[in-house]
Amino acid sequence: QVQLVESGGGLVQAGGSLRLSCVGSGRTFSSYTMAWFRQAPGKEREFVGAINWSGGRTYYVDSVNGRFTISRDNAKNTVYLQMNRLKPEDTAVYYCAAKMWDVSGSHYDYEYWGQGTQVTVSS
């Protein structure tokens, strides 16, 4: 069992930056692939990016590649989403999620979820 708690969301102007954090409980946190998803009002939950258990591999959706960076600190049971050059279309609730084994871009494959944190980017 893993419990996830996100933080770091807020209101930022276009072009600005935010860093989201997701802290996980449990001694097996380092075993999990971690991902970030987002969901805007009226839209489906969208894969943003993921990081494998060791932090050695990361994956991003094209729309954020080069602007967002995922990292993790397994000693702190924490995964981060650094978001730079934010755009109004990045506005959404951001969720972190965990699964065992391989990275997946489908939210159906993730077993554990945080409660979400709101990110709002004004134009």
Side-chain angles (χ1 to χ4, degrees), residues 42-122:
K43 294 190 176 180
E44 299 228 341
R45 192 163 295 192
E46 176 191 28
F47 174 77
V48 174
I51 188 166
N52 75 328
W53 67 273
S54 69
R57 283 185 288 179
T58 54
Y59 308 81
Y60 302 96
V61 68
D62 286 346
S63 60
V64 309
N65 198 19
R67 300 189 297 122
F68 291 11
T69 303
I70 297 175
S71 60
R72 67 190 297 164
D73 184 342
N74 286 337
K76 295 182 178 180
N77 279 13
T78 302
V79 62
Y80 304 98
L81 179 64
Q82 177 67 45
M83 304 185 293
N84 298 328
R85 305 200 309 274
L86 281 160
K87 304 176 181 180
E89 51 264 43
D90 295 319
T91 295
V93 177
Y94 283 70
Y95 300 89
C96 68
K99 70 181 297 291
M100 294 296 288
W101 310 120
D102 296 339
V103 169
S104 169
S106 171
H107 63 90
Y108 295 108
D109 293 335
Y110 286 81
E111 188 172 4
Y112 302 106
W113 291 85
Q115 83 288 351
T117 186
Q118 176 71 46
V119 171
T120 303
V121 185
S122 63

